[in-house]
Amino acid sequence: MAVLQGKKVAILGDRDGIPGMAIEECLKATGAEVVFSTTECFV
C-alpha cells in the first residue's frame, strides 16, 4: 500500500480488541515506520 510507505505511524492497540503488536506486524508490509506501539486497556 503506497499510501503508508515512508510514513511514521503510532499504534494504539486494545487489550480486548486488536493488540498493538498485531497491528504493527500488519503495517510492516506497507513500508510504514512504526515509531510507537502499545496495547492499552480502555475501560
Side-chain angles (χ1 to χ4, degrees), residues 2 5 9 21 23 31 34:
Q5 189 170 4
V9 295
M21 291 177 71
I23 300 169
V34 178

Side-chain angles (χ1 to χ4, degrees), residues 14-40:
D14 184 19
R15 183 190 73 170
D16 295 330
I18 303 172
M21 291 177 71
I23 300 169
E24 185 174 350
E25 285 299 315
C26 293
L27 289 178
K28 283 183 180 178
T30 67
E33 177 186 350
V34 178
V35 294
F36 180 75
S37 178
T38 188
T39 300
E40 300 293 331

